[in-house]
Amino acid sequence: MAVLEVVNLKKIYTTRLGGNHVQALSNVSFSVEQGEYVAIMGESGSGKTTLLNILAALDKPTSGEVFLNGRNIVSIKEREIAAFRREHLGFVFQDFNLLDTFSLQDNIFLPLVLSGKSYKEMNGRLQPIARKLEIEEILNKYPYEVSGGQKQRAAVARALITKPQLILADEPTGALDSRATDGLLRLFAQINRDGQTILMVTHSIKAASSAKRVLFIKDGEVFHQLYKGDDTDEQLYQKISDTLTMIATGGERGSGLPRDDA
């Protein structure tokens, strides 16, 4: 069953004076099944950030539809959109987006506080997540007192605590060193094995090679995709690298690209 279905998305930006039109997305269609772990890659300017913003209900497409568990998020009224994001989507950002004046625990609780949940329910949800993410000992610390990897684990906990239908991750390893990156990718793999659906936008081949499927965006369209299948992370890494090289050198669809093993 598709958790996310993207149908014929197009996004055209008009400059302030209305003289120029920039087409960020041309005709994007794909779906994400329940329990999938999908990475989206593409060169700067390919349209992947625009796509993520539309999937996060932060921007509206010029045309096309986005269905989350059958509901068209494009048609949700503006006054309802913040609550919809809070209740159905989890977010993990490159720069963590934690409030320095709140403890890690209070940062994690924030979406539930905004939803009017009781402390008992919030604490009940937090404890198993904190154990899984190994952050029980630092919940009372503030973001400036912990490492980048610990901040990102707290951000993942904040994303998970709402029991989202989909986690959207925007360059989640971008601000982490190699050790923290390895830890976060193992964590994402574990969360996904537990049934959480994840969609990650990344420039990192290493991060993308931990996913089960990789979509490549070029010139505002889905250009190619790779399924991990029985490949190791290292084998998928090489296929991703070869695909990005082909895209950068002007390759066409199906021309020398690594095989889609679906």
Side-chain angles (χ1 to χ4, degrees), residues 52-66:
L52 185 69
N53 286 339
I54 292 172
L55 300 183
L58 295 168
D59 196 2
K60 297 275 191 183
T62 304
S63 62
E65 297 172 311
V66 178

Side-chain angles (χ1 to χ4, degrees), residues 131-159:
R131 282 194 297 273
K132 181 186 293 184
L133 305 191
E134 300 179 352
I135 56 172
E136 292 170 288
E137 303 300 320
I138 60 170
L139 287 174
N140 291 323
K141 291 185 179 291
Y142 289 81
Y144 55 82
E145 297 179 307
V146 301
S147 69
Q150 290 170 323
K151 288 179 188 177
Q152 197 60 297
R153 283 174 177 263
V156 172
R158 181 184 56 194

Side-chain angles (χ1 to χ4, degrees), residues 3-248:
V3 170
L4 179 72
E5 192 168 358
V6 178
V7 183
N8 300 328
L9 272 194
K10 181 185 289 186
K11 179 66 178 181
I12 299 173
Y13 291 103
T14 304
T15 57
R16 184 175 297 177
L17 299 178
N20 294 314
H21 299 280
V22 178
Q23 186 152 331
L25 297 176
S26 300
N27 184 27
V28 174
S29 296
F30 66 92
S31 62
V32 176
E33 301 296 312
Q34 172 69 42
E36 268 203 288
Y37 179 5
V38 179
I40 294 179
M41 302 194 79
E43 298 178 301
S44 295
S46 62
K48 62 185 186 302
T49 299
T50 298
L51 174 61
L52 185 69
N53 286 339
I54 292 172
L55 300 183
L58 295 168
D59 196 2
K60 297 275 191 183
T62 304
S63 62
E65 297 172 311
V66 178
F67 296 95
L68 186 66
N69 272 355
R71 183 174 183 185
N72 189 358
I73 68 174
V74 173
S75 62
I76 296 174
K77 293 181 173 60
E78 200 63 37
R79 65 178 180 271
E80 301 172 7
I81 206 72
F84 177 84
R85 279 196 297 266
R86 211 165 42 235
E87 292 168 10
H88 300 283
L89 298 170
F91 299 94
V92 181
F93 303 95
Q94 176 176 339
D95 57 0
F96 318 125
N97 280 19
L98 299 172
L99 299 173
D100 274 340
T101 54
F102 283 20
S103 67
L104 295 182
Q105 177 172 283
D106 288 343
N107 270 285
I108 295 165
F109 281 163
L110 188 57
L112 296 185
V113 171
L114 294 172
S115 297
K117 304 297 184 186
S118 69
Y119 177 79
K120 182 179 180 181
E121 180 174 351
M122 292 190 295
N123 196 53
R125 289 194 191 188
L126 175 59
Q127 294 313 311
I129 293 172
R131 282 194 297 273
K132 181 186 293 184
L133 305 191
E134 300 179 352
I135 56 172
E136 292 170 288
E137 303 300 320
I138 60 170
L139 287 174
N140 291 323
K141 291 185 179 291
Y142 289 81
Y144 55 82
E145 297 179 307
V146 301
S147 69
Q150 290 170 323
K151 288 179 188 177
Q152 197 60 297
R153 283 174 177 263
V156 172
R158 181 184 56 194
L160 287 173
I161 203 166
T162 62
K163 301 178 180 177
Q165 294 166 352
L166 176 67
I167 283 184
L168 296 173
D170 185 10
E171 299 287 0
T173 63
L176 303 179
D177 60 27
S178 59
R179 182 177 177 183
T181 291
D182 289 344
L184 182 70
L185 294 178
R186 284 195 298 270
L187 185 60
F188 269 25
Q190 178 188 345
I191 292 166
N192 175 247
R193 283 195 297 272
D194 291 342
Q196 179 64 58
T197 309
I198 302 172
L199 182 67
M200 172 176 62
V201 169
T202 183
H203 280 101
S204 167
I205 300 176
K206 183 174 187 177
S209 63
S210 70
K212 293 179 179 175
R213 178 162 59 114
V214 186
L215 292 174
F216 298 88
I217 305 293
K218 180 183 179 183
D219 298 331
E221 297 185 29
V222 177
F223 178 78
H224 189 58
Q225 67 176 341
L226 293 171
Y227 281 84
K228 188 170 205 169
D230 295 327
D231 285 349
T232 63
D233 286 4
E234 292 74 19
Q235 289 169 324
L236 184 58
Y237 185 106
Q238 187 58 55
K239 288 183 178 181
I240 294 169
S241 180
D242 291 346
T243 300
L244 292 174
T245 298
M246 184 65 69
I247 290 173

